[in-house]
Amino acid sequence: MTDLIRSWLETANDPATPFPLNNLPFGVFAAGDTPRCGTAIGNHVLDLAALQSTGLLPDCEFEAPALNTFMGLGKQAWEDVRQKLTDLLRDGNETGTVRAALHDVGSVTLHLPFQVTEYTDFYAGRQHAFNVGSMFRDRESALPPNWLHIPIGYNGRASTVVVSGTDFHRPLGQMKAPHEEIPSFGPCKRLDMELEIGAVVGLPSQMGKPISVDEADDMIFGYVILNDWSARDIQTWEYQPLGPFLSKAFATTISPWVVSKFSLAPFRCATPPREKELLPYIRDTGPMLYDIDLAVSMTAKGGPPTVICRTNYNTMYYSAAQQLAHHASSGCAMRTGDLLGSGTISGPDKGTYGSLLEMTWGGKHPLTLDCGRTRTFIEDGDTLALHGHAQGDGYRIGFGPCTGTILPPPTPAA
Amino acid sequence: MTDLIRSWLETANDPATPFPLNNLPFGVFAAGDTPRCGTAIGNHVLDLAALQSTGLLPDCEFEAPALNTFMGLGKQAWEDVRQKLTDLLRDGNETGTVRAALHDVGSVTLHLPFQVTEYTDFYAGRQHAFNVGSMFRDRESALPPNWLHIPIGYNGRASTVVVSGTDFHRPLGQMKAPHEEIPSFGPCKRLDMELEIGAVVGLPSQMGKPISVDEADDMIFGYVILNDWSARDIQTWEYQPLGPFLSKAFATTISPWVVSKFSLAPFRCATPPREKELLPYIRDTGPMLYDIDLAVSMTAKGGPPTVICRTNYNTMYYSAAQQLAHHASSGCAMRTGDLLGSGTISGPDKGTYGSLLEMTWGGKHPLTLDCGRTRTFIEDGDTLALHGHAQGDGYRIGFGPCTGTILPPPTPAA
């Protein structure tokens, strides 16, 4: 395990800060002006476009309102910029030029860190797949027959991926409960969240050119926390035979900071033991999962936050590198800015489940929040916040929060 | 029914040309130089960027290698440009400036007409859904219970949408036949095509803002012919429970020309009678389907083409406007460049089925091509060509061919 790298910026040395010098996550911010690329350090955001304009960083189009150009440059360029930033911010190296490029985090707004090219959502949590299968089928056939062989995934919707803090309307949709004769259209009644980690593709691959798991791992620029909001009643009625569609298309929230693979390197861990041998094209070649502590808190309007889940990304059955290698295996071209959701991260017991569907077992066992109110699914005005960090020895690598508040449903179209 | 609008360009007045003055489809071409926007007229391509630079057209960024900017301007801008082009090319109005902007169609290459933002594939062919359901389930429960209420769709993959004439490798993938104990990875053995019409979204909609069917119809810029190539063996093994993924992600081919809604206006027709009343948000408000004759031909390497299907888009149960209104209904933001596949277009009998899966009934009844060879699914070196046109009185509105040839599978990743 690496030690804390001390910075001349004192808030970066606090053991509780999500953004020590070891982290240097990438994002997009604005200080009342045009959004551009930055990194988080202690209580500050460092303006990478400003640094670049003084010649202290190579030209990576940091003045753009998205990380995509930088992300497309590949591993060497990412490492070079990281090394340069580490030198500039290291204890003893303070300069006025760098200090002038710092903004207090409270004075900036954070934007979507990259333009999401396409969004794919996977289903790699074994416990989650088992829980959902138990509820919708039965315990014996809970896990689909392909699940231990394929990192199951489906294409999601990129147009509604939003940055943490973006509130949105409760979705409308078509639904039909089993006892109802005909479907109806209206506001979702079973609105849920899903705790996930998103892998962000940096280097692209070509159409018709499969990639190995090692190549896939090298293509990944970094990771975000991701909330795959889900409308369960819409999903139940629409998803057969072609999968979830509008029940997942209304919003997906990601954390403002993309944490680079380099800062997470000390926290790499292996996937759990294989229950069936994988085919060679997606076989593990080394530890490619990460030990990341995760938590979910729920806040009813005006109340205090209640932690409703604590779990860890290291429980997933497939790594993002395996998912990406599988994704490209048919010849599918992967592009800079593609976002891959891990699938819901649920540990073995109730307090570690990553969705309300599982926590309340389909709405049968309501949660009681610290304010005394109970919840089966999400109500208007509720805020969900997802948190994650890798715990080092005297420092932590954080992502910033991934939050969203539900507004009342919109007026239907005329 | 409108009459032919005569042009001073004689080849545009040929009753057999797909590109009379009534059509004016939009695309992207290059004449050995930088790709830019153009329209097809008779045997020629008219350079819209060149015309714009002489001041004869409004500035719609026609010098870009994609129609997206123009598409995002909306109905009035589309109509203005169409009116202007009609005047410039109308019989009697010949000028040297316009003639200088014409390229012989044989001297240009055609590119992807627009940047595909996201691709959604629907399932709106009643006969196709029934046929597939009959094969995979049984005749009694062939049609899923939601099918007559929801324009079923799923998110496809945009990164591999290619223009007609782009050859590609047979996909690799994981598959498992029912009699096999464990899955294997290798070249697809049941490679299929699907005949579809693609609707191209011009005007965007906002996240959280549902749209009516009329608004949706106004947002559609035009239509293309679309081949939703499908790997049936990969699909069978992967698609439960989250839908088709890599079996559809390796390639989708579209015609080079986007035919505008204005040229298709005389061919509007109503959807077939509703078997169940639709919910108001997707109810028909007028004729929004189109009478477009479609055909598929298959060519084994070195052989002559064999027509294996003739059908019509007017058999679909849902219009693209209904699909788009449904798509946005949950709050999903729709963007300029979104492509909506209609679903496989299959008529009532065997000669009108739009996929090999249906034509050969799952591979049980091989087709015999005119060269004498037989086919259940697509073999390496085979070319599939999809054709479509609306037949007017003495003229036709065509899309250009939508073709692709299958190359041998690629080498798997190391």
Side-chain angles (χ1 to χ4, degrees):
Chain A
M1 189 69 60
T2 326
D3 291 329
L4 171 74
I5 308 171
R6 292 195 67 85
S7 171
W8 50 262
L9 197 70
E10 218 22 74
T11 56
N13 302 324
D14 182 339
T17 182
F19 307 121
L21 187 43
N22 303 56
N23 193 346
L24 295 177
F26 292 95
V28 168
F29 78 101
D33 46 8
T34 316
R36 54 200 180 274
C37 302
T39 184
I41 177 80
N43 287 346
H44 287 79
V45 172
L46 180 61
D47 185 336
L48 298 180
L51 275 196
Q52 191 278 314
S53 71
T54 66
L56 285 175
L57 286 181
D59 182 10
C60 298
E61 294 198 24
F62 288 130
E63 73 284 4
L67 292 164
N68 296 58
T69 302
F70 176 53
M71 284 169 21
L73 297 178
K75 209 174 154 184
Q76 192 58 55
W78 308 334
E79 207 158 9
D80 289 349
V81 167
R82 180 179 172 79
Q83 191 52 58
K84 188 73 192 164
L85 289 171
T86 305
D87 291 345
L88 292 171
L89 290 163
R90 194 188 292 270
D91 197 15
N93 292 357
E94 180 173 358
T95 61
T97 318
V98 175
R99 188 164 275 284
L102 288 171
H103 297 265
D104 189 284
V105 72
S107 70
V108 305
T109 49
L110 296 172
H111 292 252
L112 197 65
F114 60 99
Q115 194 189 342
V116 181
T117 312
E118 295 193 68
Y119 166 46
T120 306
D121 194 29
F122 286 88
Y123 192 56
R126 195 194 188 299
Q127 187 68 41
H128 172 71
F130 178 80
N131 288 346
V132 172
S134 299
M135 267 180 263
F136 289 119
R137 290 180 293 273
D138 54 77
R139 282 178 70 88
E140 282 60 46
S141 56
L143 213 59
N146 51 13
W147 199 92
L148 293 169
H149 301 279
I150 296 184
I152 298 277
Y154 66 98
N155 301 297
R157 181 77 191 174
S159 67
T160 46
V161 176
V162 294
V163 71
S164 175
T166 307
D167 303 336
F168 58 88
H169 294 287
R170 174 177 298 274
L172 304 176
Q174 197 178 127
M175 53 202 96
K176 186 181 97 60
H179 67 276
E180 289 171 338
E181 276 288 306
I182 52 166
S184 60
F185 183 84
C188 161
K189 295 184 189 78
R190 289 162 72 91
L191 182 60
D192 201 354
M193 46 76 53
E194 291 190 344
L195 168 63
E196 303 194 17
I197 290 278
V200 182
V201 176
L203 212 59
S205 75
Q206 286 167 37
M207 179 173 168
K209 195 168 176 320
I211 54 175
S212 69
V213 172
D214 286 326
E215 287 169 329
D217 189 51
D218 277 351
M219 285 165 58
I220 296 172
F221 173 71
Y223 295 84
V224 291
I225 308 277
L226 184 150
N227 187 346
D228 179 38
W229 304 92
S230 300
R232 298 299 179 193
D233 38 8
I234 300 173
Q235 186 176 354
T236 308
W237 174 231
E238 78 170 358
Y239 94 108
Q240 287 287 12
L242 300 183
F245 179 41
L246 300 185
S247 54
K248 304 271 195 169
F250 56 93
T252 302
T253 304
I254 62 172
S255 62
W257 297 106
V258 185
V259 173
S260 89
K261 61 187 339 154
F262 304 110
S263 29
L264 290 171
F267 308 98
R268 279 192 178 242
C269 59
T271 52
R274 304 291 89 182
E275 298 175 42
K276 302 262 188 194
E277 191 177 35
L278 289 177
L279 287 162
Y281 80 105
I282 46 168
R283 216 170 270 169
D284 288 288
T285 56
M288 292 186 187
L289 213 55
Y290 296 93
D291 181 348
I292 300 173
D293 286 322
L294 298 162
V296 180
S297 72
M298 189 169 192
T299 308
K301 200 170 184 175
T306 304
V307 174
I308 57 174
C309 161
R310 286 190 195 281
T311 187
N312 195 297
Y313 179 54
N314 65 16
T315 58
M316 299 308 271
Y317 194 79
Y318 295 102
S319 67
Q322 287 173 311
Q323 291 169 333
L324 180 53
H326 178 64
H327 207 323
S329 66
S330 73
C332 180
M334 304 305 301
R335 294 184 291 185
T336 302
D338 283 342
L339 174 64
L340 312 187
S342 58
T344 306
I345 303 169
S346 289
D349 351 274
K350 197 175 164 181
T352 67
Y353 292 169
S355 69
L356 289 167
L357 181 73
E358 295 165 87
M359 294 179 212
T360 69
W361 210 255
K364 284 186 200 146
H365 309 298
L367 299 174
T368 302
L369 303 183
D370 291 351
C371 62
R373 279 174 273 184
T374 59
R375 285 290 183 274
T376 47
F377 291 95
I378 305 172
E379 300 194 4
D380 291 351
D382 287 354
T383 300
L384 270 293
L386 281 47
H387 301 272
H389 69 266
Q391 183 62 56
D393 188 7
Y395 73 97
R396 47 174 56 175
I397 302 291
F399 295 77
C402 177
T403 73
T405 299
I406 305 304
L407 307 174
T411 317
Chain B
M1 190 68 60
T2 326
D3 290 328
L4 172 74
I5 309 171
R6 292 195 66 85
S7 170
W8 51 262
L9 196 70
E10 216 23 73
T11 56
N13 301 325
D14 182 340
T17 182
F19 307 121
L21 187 44
N22 303 55
N23 193 346
L24 296 176
F26 292 95
V28 168
F29 78 100
D33 47 8
T34 317
R36 55 199 181 274
C37 302
T39 185
I41 177 80
N43 287 347
H44 287 79
V45 172
L46 181 62
D47 185 337
L48 298 180
L51 274 196
Q52 191 278 313
S53 71
T54 66
L56 284 175
L57 286 181
D59 182 10
C60 299
E61 293 199 24
F62 287 131
E63 73 284 5
L67 292 165
N68 295 58
T69 303
F70 176 53
M71 283 167 25
L73 298 177
K75 208 172 154 184
Q76 191 58 55
W78 308 335
E79 205 159 9
D80 288 349
V81 166
R82 180 180 171 80
Q83 190 54 57
K84 187 74 195 165
L85 289 172
T86 305
D87 290 345
L88 291 171
L89 289 163
R90 194 187 291 271
D91 198 16
N93 293 357
E94 181 172 359
T95 62
T97 319
V98 174
R99 188 164 274 285
L102 288 171
H103 297 267
D104 190 284
V105 73
S107 69
V108 305
T109 50
L110 297 172
H111 292 252
L112 197 64
F114 60 99
Q115 194 187 343
V116 181
T117 312
E118 296 193 67
Y119 165 46
T120 305
D121 194 30
F122 285 88
Y123 192 55
R126 195 194 188 300
Q127 186 67 41
H128 172 71
F130 178 80
N131 288 346
V132 172
S134 300
M135 267 181 264
F136 290 117
R137 291 180 294 272
D138 54 77
R139 283 179 69 88
E140 282 62 43
S141 56
L143 214 59
N146 51 13
W147 200 92
L148 294 170
H149 300 280
I150 296 185
I152 298 278
Y154 65 99
N155 300 297
R157 181 77 192 175
S159 67
T160 46
V161 176
V162 294
V163 71
S164 174
T166 307
D167 303 336
F168 58 88
H169 294 287
R170 174 177 298 274
L172 304 176
Q174 197 178 127
M175 53 201 95
K176 188 181 95 60
H179 67 275
E180 290 170 339
E181 276 288 306
I182 52 167
S184 60
F185 183 83
C188 161
K189 295 185 189 78
R190 289 162 72 91
L191 182 59
D192 201 355
M193 46 76 54
E194 290 189 344
L195 169 64
E196 304 194 16
I197 289 279
V200 182
V201 176
L203 212 60
S205 74
Q206 285 168 38
M207 179 173 168
K209 195 170 177 318
I211 54 175
S212 68
V213 171
D214 286 327
E215 286 169 329
D217 189 51
D218 277 351
M219 285 165 60
I220 296 172
F221 173 72
Y223 294 84
V224 291
I225 307 278
L226 184 150
N227 186 346
D228 179 38
W229 304 92
S230 300
R232 299 298 179 194
D233 38 8
I234 300 173
Q235 186 176 354
T236 308
W237 175 231
E238 77 169 0
Y239 96 106
Q240 287 288 11
L242 300 183
F245 179 41
L246 301 184
S247 53
K248 303 270 195 170
F250 57 93
T252 301
T253 304
I254 62 171
S255 62
W257 297 106
V258 185
V259 173
S260 89
K261 63 187 338 152
F262 305 110
S263 29
L264 290 172
F267 308 98
R268 279 191 177 241
C269 59
T271 52
R274 303 292 89 183
E275 297 174 43
K276 303 261 187 194
E277 191 178 33
L278 289 177
L279 286 161
Y281 80 105
I282 45 167
R283 215 169 271 168
D284 289 287
T285 55
M288 292 189 187
L289 213 55
Y290 296 93
D291 181 349
I292 300 173
D293 286 321
L294 297 162
V296 179
S297 72
M298 190 171 194
T299 309
K301 199 170 183 174
T306 305
V307 175
I308 58 175
C309 162
R310 286 189 194 282
T311 186
N312 194 298
Y313 179 54
N314 65 15
T315 58
M316 300 307 271
Y317 195 79
Y318 295 103
S319 68
Q322 287 174 311
Q323 292 170 333
L324 180 53
H326 178 65
H327 206 324
S329 66
S330 74
C332 181
M334 304 305 302
R335 294 184 292 186
T336 302
D338 282 341
L339 173 64
L340 311 186
S342 59
T344 307
I345 303 168
S346 289
D349 352 273
K350 197 174 163 181
T352 66
Y353 292 170
S355 71
L356 288 167
L357 180 73
E358 294 165 88
M359 293 179 214
T360 70
W361 209 254
K364 283 186 202 146
H365 308 298
L367 299 174
T368 302
L369 303 184
D370 291 351
C371 62
R373 280 174 273 185
T374 60
R375 286 290 182 274
T376 47
F377 291 97
I378 304 172
E379 300 194 5
D380 292 351
D382 287 354
T383 300
L384 271 292
L386 281 48
H387 302 272
H389 69 266
Q391 183 62 56
D393 189 8
Y395 73 97
R396 47 174 55 176
I397 302 291
F399 294 78
C402 177
T403 73
T405 300
I406 306 304
L407 307 174
T411 316

